[in-house]
Amino acid sequence: MKVNLLPTNDGSGSQQEDLNSDIWNGVSSHSRTKINQSSINIPSAIPSTSLSTVSAPISDRSSSADNQFIRRSTSLLHHPTTQLPSPPLPSHFLIPPSAYVPYNLPILPMHQNESGQPVINWKYLYQQRSLLEHHWRKGIYSIRKLPGHTESIYCVQFDEHKIISGSRDDTIKIWDIKTGYCIRTYRGHRQSVLCLQYDDDIIVSGSSDATIIIWNLATGEIIRTLEGHSESVLNLRFNENHIVSCSKDRTVRIWRRETGSCLRVLCGHRAAVNAIQFKDDYVVSASGDRTIKLWSLASGQCLRTFDGHSRGIACIQFDGNIIISGSSDKTIKVFDVHTGACLSTLAGHTDLVRTLQFDKNRIVSGSYDETLRVWDLKTGELQSNLIHGHTSRVFKLQFNTTKIISCSQDQKIIIWDFAHNVDTTFL
């Protein structure tokens, strides 16, 4: 049974929408389900992979080859994890993503010259890049599902080695991205883990318990707990100097990373602040009051307010020049940071757009309509509608060159791999 977690106001009145009040705090809407651990059947081995064909129809297909869509559903064994303290993570899990270089990979014949020395075959590399792009455009992918959390999964981040997720079961889990095994579970929050970010050294997480916890990534040790918000911490971001968080209490807080001291509180939104991003000296916040605000990180001054959505805003990304937002009005909007103008509106989702990310080529969005969609950034064209994955609301996603990883109310993390049958050695 689906529970309506949003106000039924059509957006024409004055009601301010708190996109998260029920799903993150409203036990009146649905109580937490406690699972009887003795009733869980844990397999003794990883079942064999099964292949089936899935389709993500967007446009007419011109050839039979284009109608082949590969879906892999793999059930993975979840290894129980120990209580803290835990032994440190393997060293290769702590390699900075930016410094990752494939290692111990065989050199295929097409990457060798006549003497057997490794070379880059530029023609072959172009072919593989073209094939990968074709997969993104046509929605050709394989998928893996990672079970393990016992409640909805609200947040996820990944790199070449690991996935880190946060859940309504109050835990943070670390997964081996290659095997799909859960290798660590960190406990410390008293309520749902709503948001997180990690780097080479730390994980920073925000919770319905109104706190922010800074963890040692390798050991799970709690380094520091930040208190100041009076209600749920709905989103956060950090860099080498600052942590910026937003809350259902309608505020944005800027913290000093090194000490955990609160530097300033940004006030101005009239409803819960659902999403936050910052870059250089600018902070961007999005709220259930249907506005986006641009702030000075240094002074805390509100520099601009962006209007355009007809209902509350659930997610944003900001790259310094444009802001892209997703809303309860079921649309995605692109704003020019410098002028405040709305450059385009993307329509297609049939429910709240909860999560999105963009790069120089595409936008990927996830919705309460249980789908992910891939859009061309420049034209706004819908390229793929990924409908054969989650069975409930999509809460968070992240993507890179070859894959999307998403999490959902269905308690699953899904890896959507567009590099199926693509040689990614030098991509």
Side-chain angles (χ1 to χ4, degrees):
M1 178 183 70
K2 291 186 178 180
V3 181
N4 181 19
L5 302 179
L6 293 173
T8 56
N9 188 309
D10 62 4
S12 59
S14 61
Q15 180 179 356
Q16 297 170 354
E17 298 159 319
D18 176 3
L19 299 176
N20 308 299
S21 61
D22 289 330
I23 193 164
W24 288 342
N25 298 290
V27 292
S28 59
S29 294
H30 58 286
S31 60
R32 295 191 177 210
T33 301
K34 296 300 182 181
I35 294 180
N36 181 0
Q37 298 294 334
S38 63
S39 67
I40 300 175
N41 180 24
I42 300 179
S44 59
I46 302 176
S48 59
T49 300
S50 61
L51 293 177
S52 59
T53 301
V54 297
S55 175
I58 293 301
S59 58
D60 293 336
R61 310 305 188 189
S62 59
S63 68
S64 60
D66 286 345
N67 287 315
Q68 299 303 313
F69 300 92
I70 301 168
R71 181 188 181 196
R72 175 187 292 174
S73 299
T74 306
S75 297
L76 296 169
L77 171 66
H78 167 57
H79 278 185
T81 53
T82 58
Q83 295 284 349
L84 297 178
S86 299
L89 289 172
S91 59
H92 70 277
F93 272 66
L94 305 177
I95 297 175
S98 60
Y100 173 76
V101 176
Y103 54 93
N104 296 331
L105 293 177
I107 302 299
L108 302 177
M110 65 283 297
H111 300 305
Q112 299 178 21
N113 60 20
E114 295 178 355
S115 302
Q117 299 299 314
V119 296
I120 296 179
N121 184 329
W122 292 106
K123 179 179 179 180
Y124 178 80
L125 179 60
Y126 174 79
Q127 291 171 341
Q128 297 307 301
R129 286 188 182 276
S130 297
L131 179 59
L132 179 60
E133 186 60 30
H134 173 77
H135 286 182
W136 276 100
R137 291 197 308 269
K138 299 300 183 180
I140 302 172
Y141 54 86
S142 65
I143 69 172
R144 283 193 295 152
K145 297 184 179 182
L146 279 58
H149 281 292
T150 59
E151 295 266 10
S152 303
I153 306 171
Y154 290 130
C155 47
V156 68
Q157 183 184 339
F158 75 94
D159 57 47
E160 296 293 339
H161 297 290
K162 61 186 175 293
I163 303 168
I164 301 184
S165 58
S167 168
R168 195 169 187 261
D169 63 17
D170 307 345
T171 69
I172 294 172
K173 290 184 180 290
I174 303 179
W175 313 77
D176 185 314
I177 198 170
K178 182 178 180 181
T179 67
Y181 286 114
C182 177
I183 60 172
R184 291 287 188 278
T185 297
Y186 294 161
R187 295 177 173 88
H189 283 295
R190 301 184 303 276
Q191 295 184 46
S192 304
V193 180
L194 305 180
C195 51
L196 63 78
Q197 183 188 342
Y198 70 86
D199 65 8
D200 306 339
D201 303 309
I202 62 172
I203 305 171
V204 181
S205 59
S207 169
S208 294
D209 64 17
T211 69
I212 298 167
I213 293 181
I214 303 174
W215 313 73
N216 182 300
L217 171 62
T219 66
E221 175 191 2
I222 294 177
I223 300 171
R224 185 175 291 111
T225 299
L226 310 185
E227 297 181 343
H229 284 296
S230 60
E231 296 192 65
S232 300
V233 180
L234 303 182
N235 197 211
L236 60 80
R237 304 298 297 170
F238 71 86
N239 62 13
E240 61 276 7
N241 297 314
H242 298 100
I243 300 170
V244 180
S245 60
C246 62
S247 170
K248 188 183 173 186
D249 66 13
R250 306 183 183 186
T251 69
V252 175
R253 285 180 177 262
I254 301 173
W255 315 77
R256 190 181 302 280
R257 171 173 168 166
E258 183 178 358
T259 64
S261 60
C262 183
L263 299 177
R264 57 188 58 87
V265 180
L266 311 184
C267 300
H269 282 295
R270 296 172 290 109
V273 186
N274 296 312
I276 196 79
Q277 290 268 301
F278 75 105
K279 184 177 178 63
D280 300 327
D281 188 44
Y282 299 102
V283 176
V284 175
S285 59
S287 170
D289 66 10
R290 310 174 190 180
T291 68
I292 299 169
K293 291 184 180 292
L294 176 70
W295 312 79
S296 166
L297 179 66
S299 68
Q301 179 184 1
C302 181
L303 305 176
R304 187 186 298 276
T305 297
F306 302 80
D307 295 294
H309 283 292
S310 60
R311 299 194 69 179
I313 302 165
C315 56
I316 51 171
Q317 187 183 340
F318 166 57
D319 71 352
N321 294 308
I322 62 172
I323 299 168
I324 301 185
S325 57
S327 168
S328 182
D329 65 15
K330 308 175 187 178
T331 69
I332 297 167
K333 289 184 180 290
V334 182
F335 294 92
D336 186 302
V337 171
H338 308 291
T339 67
C342 180
L343 303 177
S344 61
T345 299
L346 311 182
H349 281 295
T350 59
D351 207 333
L352 179 150
V353 182
R354 173 61 181 271
T355 177
L356 61 79
Q357 181 190 338
F358 69 90
D359 63 12
K360 64 180 181 180
N361 298 314
R362 58 182 56 90
I363 305 168
V364 181
S365 58
S367 169
Y368 279 9
D369 65 15
E370 304 177 3
T371 72
L372 278 66
R373 296 183 184 234
V374 181
W375 315 76
D376 185 286
L377 176 62
K378 296 180 177 61
T379 67
E381 175 190 1
L382 180 60
Q383 296 181 335
S384 302
N385 184 10
L386 311 184
I387 60 176
H388 294 284
H390 289 294
T391 57
S392 191
R393 293 168 168 173
V394 179
F395 287 142
K396 188 67 176 178
L397 66 81
Q398 180 191 346
F399 75 90
N400 63 11
T401 305
T402 62
K403 66 178 68 69
I404 305 169
I405 295 185
S406 59
C407 61
S408 166
Q409 192 176 28
D410 63 15
Q411 305 176 18
K412 298 292 189 300
I413 296 170
I414 295 184
I415 303 173
W416 312 73
D417 187 2
F418 292 83
H420 182 78
N421 289 334
V422 177
D423 179 4
T424 59
T425 305
F426 295 105
L427 295 183

